[in-house]
Amino acid sequence: MTSKKLLFARTYEKEAGEKIPSGQRPVLHLSPYTGWTNDPNGFSYYGGKYHLFYQYNPFSTYWDSMHWGHAVSDDMLHWEYLPAAMAPDTDIDSFGCFSGSAVTMKDGRQLLMYTGVRKENNGGQGEIQTQCIATGDGLDYEKYEFNPVLDGNDLPNGLSRNDFRDPKIWQEADGSYKCVAGTCNSDRLGRILMFSSPDGFSWKFESVLAENDGTFGLMWECPDYFTLDGKSVLITSPQDMLPQGFEYHNGNGTLCLIGTYDDKEKKFHREKDQSVDYGIDFYAPQTALAPDGRRIMIGWLQNWDTCSLIDRKDMRWFGQMSIPRELSIRNGRLYQTPVRELELCRSGRVEYNGVTVNGDLSLTGINGRVADIELVLRPKDPENIYQKFTVRFAQNDRYYTSLSFRPAESVVKIDRKFSGPRRAYVHQRRCHIPESRGEVKLRLILDRYSAEVFINDGEYTMSCTILTDTSADMISFHSVGEAVMDITKYDLASEE
Ligand code: FRU
């Protein structure tokens, strides 16, 4: 039975969503049907399609009363909106259906596992966060009558019932299920817990899979745990991070821990750590397994600290997802490359090879706001390496966003301070790459309101949103000292 609340949201979003012209949305990045989105949820392959749910407030462009929005796609790039999947319509989730994940059950149903949030003592300040289940057919979902399936009583002593959220579920080879969820101790230090279930409905605590010793922020949100290229990988989004040199930045961050799993203790042991993304806007990523075995990750292309400062009086949607990224582990690092399906969206190839840049340069045919650009740079004279190379994009007479590289410091910088905002939120971030002697490979994906940069075949990524009017579509280059550039640009627009 569809509740009144869900029916209301579905009716509302249809009318409001259809009023947003497709020209005002990103082309290949999922944006909410209408209103607000934050985390990607329930990213999965089910019934022959990719499903992506999302934290959703259809009624305004600000966070409130979390629903689950829903979209499906054949290629993870062109999304079709489906009716909202869940509304906060039961006692257990009356304050919101927070983040969660999806899995296909043995009987063919899709199971959604999410955090049901309610206020303490009917309307108090604190939140009670519990894990809940809904099952469905890819369109309509029914919440399990015995929700929650995990609550404070399932937690080891001393861990928080108020911060206990974001279950990521997967199926084991024997058909049983496991999930990880985040919580924290009384110092707000994150704990990732693992639970198991024979059927997806009855769950029990297994272990504290990983603990934050204070190195990586405080509470850990949105954990994801999987094996990749023979390693155990734990991705999570810590709150209240502090920078460590060029690694990590203040505020809400992303963390990838690579290590091994100890079967006896049921514990993860970290060997390496890194940021997932070194740009400005990337948070709460979640992965799915594609039918062909690829591990694919999508993140929320925003950051919480900036959100409240962004003026959005002219917008009827806010928040978008990243381009889906194929993951691999190489040389102990997480590599990310845009899903290969993106290559099928390319058209209008423009290519220049061996162009010397010294001072300002623009090139005929190199422009656009929905584009896939590959840039390979090297010094003209390896004994006299250029000092700084910059590509400006989303540019008009007044505004631009830039990506620059300083070989002597090995630093790539993304900078949107001249992109038009009048507020002083974070406008630039830097990423330190291994010593390169002036050689670097950059891939830049532009999709109207965002830029995602993949450095050296995905060894580092930097993402940010840009709000410059989409008519600003010039691209130009600048070098201090002689750099040589090979560039290939494709349009990605699949305008209907
Ligand atoms: C992360 C997060 C999650 C929570 C959701 C609520 O961005 O805070 O931990 O489930 O957003 O919308």
Side-chain angles (χ1 to χ4, degrees), residues 38-39 55 63 66 98-99 165-166 221-222 283 304:
N38 51 294
D39 315 352
Q55 287 287 279
W63 188 95
M66 282 295 108
F98 279 19
S99 284
R165 57 182 178 272
D166 309 335
E221 299 190 302
C222 302
Y283 194 65
W304 281 110

Side-chain angles (χ1 to χ4, degrees), residues 66-369:
M66 282 295 108
H67 294 57
W68 273 36
H70 189 187
V72 288
S73 173
D74 291 324
D75 62 0
M76 296 171 274
L77 297 163
H78 299 87
W79 294 98
E80 178 197 338
Y81 293 107
L82 293 184
M86 290 195 284
D89 53 11
T90 68
D91 288 346
I92 294 296
D93 58 23
S94 53
F95 189 67
C97 301
F98 279 19
S99 284
S101 50
V103 78
T104 304
M105 295 172 67
K106 282 165 251 175
D107 65 8
R109 283 180 295 167
Q110 190 177 35
L111 181 146
L112 310 181
M113 189 170 194
Y114 70 100
T115 302
V117 184
R118 65 183 192 276
K119 284 288 186 185
E120 234 161 10
N121 322 317
N122 298 326
Q125 281 302 300
E127 290 173 11
I128 304 278
Q129 304 192 336
T130 60
Q131 314 322 316
C132 299
I133 296 290
T135 54
D137 59 0
L139 189 63
D140 294 305
Y141 296 84
E142 200 169 320
K143 290 179 183 169
Y144 181 45
E145 59 176 317
F146 301 111
N147 276 339
V149 294
L150 284 169
D151 64 16
N153 300 325
D154 298 292
L155 292 171
N157 280 342
L159 298 185
S160 171
R161 300 168 176 232
N162 308 99
D163 286 294
F164 175 31
R165 57 182 178 272
D166 309 335
K168 175 72 202 289
I169 186 171
W170 70 91
Q171 191 164 31
E172 293 282 336
D174 66 1
S176 67
Y177 301 93
K178 283 220 168 71
C179 79
V180 284
T183 178
C184 58
N185 69 7
S186 52
D187 294 325
R188 293 211 67 233
L189 291 175
R191 298 286 180 266
I192 302 301
L193 307 182
M194 190 161 69
F195 300 89
S196 67
S197 168
D199 56 5
F201 296 98
S202 66
W203 287 86
K204 79 172 205 299
F205 171 78
E206 286 286 336
S207 65
V208 178
L209 182 71
E211 302 189 12
N212 180 9
D213 59 9
T215 311
F216 306 109
L218 297 176
M219 166 74 186
W220 287 359
E221 299 190 302
C222 302
D224 197 338
Y225 184 58
F226 49 87
T227 51
L228 183 65
D229 299 328
K231 300 305 290 183
S232 288
V233 179
L234 177 63
I235 289 180
T236 186
S237 296
Q239 296 180 315
D240 307 288
M241 282 286 271
L242 291 169
Q244 298 172 20
F246 282 94
E247 203 69 51
Y248 311 113
H249 53 74
N250 311 65
N252 288 67
T254 50
L255 172 66
C256 173
L257 301 174
I258 301 172
T260 53
Y261 179 66
D262 179 335
D263 225 359
K264 264 211 205 99
E265 277 186 82
K266 299 180 182 167
K267 278 196 187 307
F268 169 81
H269 293 289
R270 112 170 106 96
E271 292 163 355
K272 297 245 160 68
D273 67 273
Q274 65 172 94
S275 298
V276 179
D277 193 282
Y278 295 77
I280 308 171
D281 297 306
F282 193 85
Y283 194 65
Q286 185 174 91
T287 72
L289 258 191
D292 59 9
R294 285 176 296 162
R295 176 65 62 178
I296 298 173
M297 178 178 74
I298 290 189
W300 179 41
L301 217 53
Q302 254 311 326
N303 91 71
W304 281 110
D305 285 343
T306 297
C307 278
S308 55
L309 292 174
I310 294 182
D311 171 33
R312 57 195 94 149
K313 48 180 186 306
D314 301 330
M315 300 166 75
R316 279 174 286 175
W317 62 269
F318 183 83
Q320 57 178 301
M321 302 305 161
S322 72
I323 215 80
R325 302 167 178 190
E326 294 181 16
L327 303 185
S328 58
I329 305 279
R330 285 183 243 166
N331 313 317
R333 272 192 73 82
L334 181 75
Y335 272 65
Q336 304 165 52
T337 50
V339 277
R340 59 198 68 171
E341 284 82 348
L342 191 65
E343 282 149 43
L344 301 173
C345 305
R346 289 167 159 180
S347 64
R349 175 190 176 108
V350 180
E351 184 176 344
Y352 293 88
N353 289 309
V355 182
T356 301
V357 191
N358 192 3
D360 287 316
L361 178 79
S362 42
L363 294 167
T364 307
I366 304 284
N367 59 355
R369 265 299 269 279

Side-chain angles (χ1 to χ4, degrees), residues 397-417:
D397 296 346
R398 186 165 184 195
Y399 300 125
Y400 61 86
T401 297
S402 68
L403 182 69
S404 59
F405 177 53
R406 287 177 184 270
E409 292 151 37
S410 263
V411 166
V412 179
K413 182 171 89 174
I414 194 147
D415 189 341
R416 65 178 177 193
K417 70 174 167 294

Side-chain angles (χ1 to χ4, degrees), residues 380-392:
K380 178 120 185 174
D381 172 5
E383 301 309 316
N384 184 18
I385 300 175
Y386 59 93
Q387 292 160 48
K388 184 184 178 190
F389 176 91
T390 307
V391 49
R392 292 179 177 172

